[in-house]
Amino acid sequence: MQPFIVIRNYREDDELKCQELVRDYIMSFSLKSFFTLCFREITLQFIVITWAVFFIFLGVPLLFCVLTIPGCVFFLFTSTYFSFYAKAVELMRVKPSQSLVAECYEPFIFRCAPNEASYQIFMDRPPYDENYLNKFRRRIVATVSVKNHHAVYNAAWIYRFAIAKQYPHQKIMEPMINLVSKNCINGGYASLECTISEWQESERDFYDDLGFVTRQIYHKQIIGSTLTVMKTQLTYNLKIDGALQKQN
């Protein structure tokens, strides 16, 4: 049996599965972020200051102060992990207003790796009867939601974007974003906005291929101005896309 994926509208009974998917997707970047922060200047400053506090104020022998290095690294790891977890919980609590999900249908005995399998993509509903569909296990592998952008006039904002890492990113998310763009055009929006972080290289390439362009690059403060994360706001002009649809 050939596995396939159905892109459909979000339903209320999808919420728990979408929350789990969003959590796993966000947490998958925590390790990459940790390694990035390890080579920041603030990490070395934090180790030196901690070393100085133990040696000067607490009287710890200089040799034992070396143990502060793994301690600082462990503190950095836990701080990074829980900051990502807090962000995941924040998005999990947001109830989507307009959302799509990609539901994967796979045979119960499926030995091929998801990123190596060939999936058919169907919109809204598969062309099979219920008896045939009962022979597959179902799993939500991607979700995307949009809402009004608070800072940009007449713009929609992509949020709760998540996909299971082992599934083909481009093949699943491209028709989902195209459908989101179409719905936004019908809703009268002029542009579609999204924000990505510096460690989301594959997402950046994906949006570039779809025609998104950079609106602004800024640094979001985590701990004052000493620890920041580079963010990129991307925009997609829906007016051009809508004009092309009318011509066709």
Side-chain angles (χ1 to χ4, degrees):
M1 292 185 293
Q2 178 72 20
F4 58 92
I5 293 174
V6 178
I7 297 175
R8 57 172 176 80
N9 289 324
Y10 164 89
R11 298 193 297 256
E12 287 293 333
D13 56 350
D14 297 328
E15 181 59 24
L16 291 179
K17 297 178 182 177
C18 289
Q19 288 183 0
E20 181 181 355
L21 181 63
V22 169
R23 182 200 63 200
D24 293 341
Y25 177 76
I26 293 178
M27 296 306 297
S28 67
F29 294 104
S30 61
L31 189 60
K32 184 183 293 186
S33 174
F34 165 70
F35 286 123
T36 301
L37 293 176
C38 281
F39 296 97
R40 293 283 180 86
E41 183 181 357
I42 188 176
T43 304
L44 179 60
Q45 294 174 350
F46 179 58
I47 292 174
V48 172
I49 292 173
T50 306
W51 195 328
V53 169
F54 273 83
F55 179 69
I56 298 174
F57 296 99
L58 301 181
V60 178
L62 190 61
L63 183 61
F64 288 99
C65 288
V66 178
L67 297 177
T68 60
I69 297 178
C72 291
V73 172
F74 177 76
F75 175 78
L76 179 63
F77 174 79
T78 54
S79 300
T80 304
Y81 180 88
F82 284 110
S83 64
F84 272 82
Y85 188 79
K87 181 63 177 178
V89 172
E90 177 186 343
L91 287 180
M92 287 164 59
R93 291 178 177 176
V94 177
K95 297 296 182 181
S97 55
Q98 301 179 42
S99 182
L100 298 175
V101 298
E103 189 173 29
C104 182
Y105 289 73
E106 294 173 337
F108 287 99
I109 301 177
F110 189 60
R111 300 179 179 178
C112 184
N115 57 354
E116 298 176 355
S118 177
Y119 293 92
Q120 290 181 290
I121 304 294
F122 299 109
M123 307 301 291
D124 194 25
R125 62 181 59 188
Y128 306 117
D129 57 37
E130 194 64 30
N131 292 330
Y132 182 76
L133 295 179
N134 290 334
K135 299 178 182 179
F136 294 85
R137 61 181 179 187
R138 306 181 186 185
R139 179 189 179 192
I140 292 179
V141 297
T143 181
V144 61
S145 303
V146 293
K147 64 179 181 180
N148 289 328
H149 200 292
H150 298 302
V152 181
Y153 174 73
N154 199 25
W157 178 45
I158 295 176
Y159 75 109
R160 286 221 332 176
F161 175 101
I163 183 172
K165 283 294 183 181
Q166 63 270 33
Y167 285 83
H169 188 284
Q170 185 85 15
K171 188 171 184 179
I172 297 175
M173 294 308 301
E174 183 172 353
M176 295 185 73
I177 298 298
N178 289 337
L179 183 56
V180 165
S181 301
K182 183 179 178 181
N183 292 338
C184 290
I185 292 173
N186 295 334
Y189 290 102
S191 65
L192 184 61
E193 311 286 326
C194 69
T195 303
I196 58 174
S197 301
E198 59 186 280
W199 45 77
Q200 294 179 286
E201 296 92 352
S202 59
E203 283 76 4
R204 175 60 188 268
D205 295 337
F206 167 72
Y207 283 119
D208 286 343
D209 293 339
L210 288 182
F212 282 74
V213 295
T214 300
R215 179 184 288 274
Q216 65 172 333
I217 298 176
Y218 61 97
H219 289 81
K220 182 179 180 180
Q221 294 185 356
I222 306 299
I223 304 177
S225 59
T226 57
L227 180 58
T228 60
V229 175
M230 188 177 72
K231 295 274 191 175
T232 303
Q233 182 179 347
L234 303 175
T235 182
Y236 182 74
N237 192 338
L238 295 175
K239 292 183 178 179
I240 298 177
D241 201 10
L244 293 175
Q245 289 183 11
K246 290 181 180 180
Q247 291 178 0
N248 295 331

